[in-house]
Amino acid sequence: MTALLPESRVAADSTHAIVTGSARPAPRRRAKQPPRWALWIALVIIAVFAFAPVYWLLVTALTPNSSVFRFPPALFPTDITFEHFVDVFRRSELFVYLRNSVVVSLITAVLSVVVSMYMGYAFSKYRFRGRTSLMYFVLSSQMFPQALLLVTLYLVFAQFGLLNTYLALVISFTTFTLPLCVWMLKGFFDNLPDDLIEAARIDGAGPWRIFHEIVMPLAAPGLVASGLFAFVRGWNDFIFALTLAGPDKQTLPPGLVNTYISEADTAWPELMAASLLVSIPVAVAFMLLQRFLVGGITAGAVKG
């Protein structure tokens, strides 16, 4: 029997591989990743963009009044003073604004989470007529500018005697936080397996018990993320708190403006120092709840 030539042997091996189904798959080309130095440059640019305003707040707050408007400005202050931070604690009205912000933001967060968790669970796990239309109707409320609804809310609250009350601020803030919280929690509930709920139903658990004892503990990251979003919305709002609340019910953003900005002058160093101090509670909340926040936001992004 004559030996096969190299070309014939390769052809024969290929034919045998095709027939027997033992052909090796062609190697996949790996996607070319960007070099490490490019990632570091992008990270540095993002960090500078994010922290440069905060750094300038700190520099201005530590600069004496006589050197604030010096040109060219100094990136690293030579004369440092803490008098502006001390001035913040001397103003008793700022503590009233702080109390109002805490009360309004906490109530807004709790109300938004309580309402949105039931709505999100109903949209995710129940099928009823008009479900899709109602979901998009809730989402469509985000299409309107918030300032456009301010006049309408003002007239409604004035008719019912709710102006200059905590309730007016809570209702207006919840109006805008609720749609996003509902969709965020719906995406989280979509990832919870239906088999788990069905197993609890077979064991005799009712809908109320299933939701509160089984679903809610698993949905803790989503609930925390939604609550933190609603809290920040109430903490940072300016235009609604300025318009719907009087001096004794205003929150920190309009309160700081009324305290440090006037028609004749603006106390920039004191304003920067106060802005840094009032940002600390939100920053601490983000650091403590970072694990829940990341998990809640990304839960609805991947199906599985």
Side-chain angles (χ1 to χ4, degrees), residues 199-210:
R201 188 178 292 111
I202 293 175
D203 291 338
W208 190 264
R209 184 178 179 184
I210 291 175

Side-chain angles (χ1 to χ4, degrees), residues 187-198:
F188 195 94
F189 291 136
D190 287 340
N191 290 328
L192 295 180
D194 296 336
D195 296 339
L196 181 65
I197 300 175
E198 188 64 27

Side-chain angles (χ1 to χ4, degrees), residues 22-263:
S22 59
R24 295 181 180 179
R28 296 181 179 178
R29 294 183 178 179
R30 295 183 178 180
K32 187 177 181 180
Q33 298 181 352
R36 184 176 296 272
W37 60 266
L39 297 178
W40 279 107
I41 292 177
L43 181 62
V44 170
I45 294 175
I46 294 174
V48 171
F49 181 79
F51 293 104
V54 180
Y55 175 75
W56 193 247
L57 281 176
L58 180 61
V59 170
T60 306
L62 295 176
T63 303
N65 289 325
S66 58
S67 304
V68 170
F69 298 101
R70 183 177 56 185
F71 187 84
L75 295 179
F76 303 98
T78 55
D79 299 330
I80 296 178
T81 179
F82 294 94
E83 182 64 25
H84 304 140
F85 290 95
V86 177
D87 179 77
V88 175
F89 293 97
R90 291 174 181 170
R91 296 180 178 271
S92 59
E93 64 272 19
L94 294 183
F95 292 94
V96 177
Y97 300 143
L98 177 62
R99 179 199 63 193
N100 296 338
S101 291
V102 172
V103 172
V104 172
S105 301
L106 285 178
I107 296 177
T108 300
V110 173
L111 182 60
S112 299
V113 171
V114 171
V115 177
S116 61
M117 69 181 185
Y118 291 111
M119 294 180 62
Y121 183 74
F123 286 148
S124 175
K125 299 302 180 182
Y126 289 91
R127 300 295 181 267
F128 50 89
R129 181 176 298 179
R131 167 179 168 272
T132 303
S133 301
L134 184 59
M135 288 170 52
Y136 285 106
F137 176 76
V138 172
L139 184 62
S140 65
S141 61
Q142 298 294 301
M143 300 171 57
F144 301 96
Q146 299 179 5
L148 185 64
L149 302 178
L150 178 59
V151 177
T152 302
L153 291 176
Y154 183 90
L155 295 177
V156 172
F157 292 149
Q159 185 176 1
F160 287 94
L162 296 177
L163 292 178
N164 194 21
T165 62
Y166 289 142
L167 185 59
L169 296 179
V170 170
I171 293 176
S172 59
F173 295 162
T174 307
T175 302
F176 302 107
T177 59
L178 194 60
L180 183 58
C181 291
V182 169
W183 275 84
M184 184 185 300
L185 289 177
K186 178 189 177 300
F188 195 94
F189 291 136
D190 287 340
N191 290 328
L192 295 180
D194 296 336
D195 296 339
L196 181 65
I197 300 175
E198 188 64 27
R201 188 178 292 111
I202 293 175
D203 291 338
W208 190 264
R209 184 178 179 184
I210 291 175
F211 179 75
H212 291 90
E213 296 185 9
I214 299 177
V215 175
M216 281 189 60
L218 298 176
L223 298 177
V224 172
S226 302
L228 188 57
F229 165 76
F231 180 87
V232 173
R233 172 64 178 81
W235 187 272
N236 292 334
D237 181 83
F238 175 80
I239 185 172
F240 281 85
L242 178 65
T243 307
L244 301 178
D248 56 335
K249 291 295 188 296
Q250 283 183 351
T251 55
L252 279 169
L256 293 179
V257 172
N258 293 333
T259 302
Y260 294 109
I261 298 179
S262 63
E263 296 181 359

Side-chain angles (χ1 to χ4, degrees), residues 7-29:
E7 294 81 358
S8 302
R9 183 173 297 176
V10 173
D13 293 340
S14 302
T15 304
H16 176 73
I18 294 175
V19 173
T20 57
S22 59
R24 295 181 180 179
R28 296 181 179 178
R29 294 183 178 179

